[in-house]
Amino acid sequence: MTNVELGRIQVRIMQVLWEKKRATAREITTVLNEFEPIDHRNVQTILRRLEKKGSIGFTVEDRTHIYYPLIDNNRVKMKAISDFINQMFQGSVSNLVSALISHEHISVEELKKIFRMFEKKDK
């Protein structure tokens, strides 16, 4: 599957599907409305667009569409992170880390945890 560009609401819908594995449009609308209001018809429209992109599939049970994800959430996360780093930090991970260190409070424990991740990856 090629990289799929997803908008904010599309990502939220995908998050619901990744968590639930399968859901109806009504179930998705209900979950989304817990965070911000969205019209059920808009959810249905976005689901059709996601299906056309190849991001989701569906089965029909008792005349109800049951949607499920076709793309992996880690792949979408990594694409979003890569896009963010390229757009905001000219593709430099070290510039991102530098910005985080200089503008965010990072505890010594957090830094140790990060270093352990690098050591683990290095092995």
Side-chain angles (χ1 to χ4, degrees):
M1 156 131 303
T2 59
N3 288 330
V4 176
E5 296 290 328
L6 299 176
R8 186 179 66 82
I9 300 298
Q10 290 175 330
V11 169
R12 291 288 301 125
I13 288 173
M14 292 304 302
Q15 289 171 330
V16 172
L17 290 173
W18 288 321
E19 182 180 318
K20 292 185 167 287
K21 310 291 188 241
R22 295 168 37 93
T24 66
R26 181 60 63 194
E27 290 169 332
I28 294 167
T29 302
T30 299
V31 171
L32 294 178
N33 275 312
E34 292 174 9
F35 300 98
E36 64 182 290
I38 187 166
D39 186 73
H40 181 63
R41 291 179 303 244
N42 290 347
V43 171
Q44 291 172 313
T45 298
I46 295 167
L47 286 167
R48 282 191 295 277
R49 289 180 185 155
L50 286 169
E51 195 268 327
K52 284 181 183 174
K53 285 183 177 187
S55 300
I56 64 172
F58 67 89
T59 59
V60 180
E61 297 175 11
D62 298 324
R63 297 184 346 209
T64 301
H65 286 68
I66 311 291
Y67 297 93
Y68 54 88
L70 293 175
I71 57 175
D72 179 64
N73 67 352
N74 288 325
R75 189 174 187 168
V76 173
K77 285 178 193 175
M78 294 313 296
K79 169 87 169 79
I81 290 168
S82 176
D83 289 350
F84 176 74
I85 292 170
N86 287 332
Q87 189 174 43
M88 301 304 294
F89 298 97
Q90 296 75 45
S92 171
V93 174
S94 61
N95 286 347
L96 167 66
V97 172
S98 176
L100 288 172
I101 289 171
S102 63
H103 295 290
E104 297 291 327
H105 174 70
I106 298 177
S107 69
V108 172
E109 280 306 311
E110 186 99 26
L111 285 172
K112 286 179 182 178
K113 184 177 177 181
I114 292 167
F115 283 122
R116 284 192 297 272
M117 285 183 224
F118 282 113
E119 289 171 352
K120 192 176 185 179
K121 182 172 173 52
D122 210 23
K123 290 180 182 179

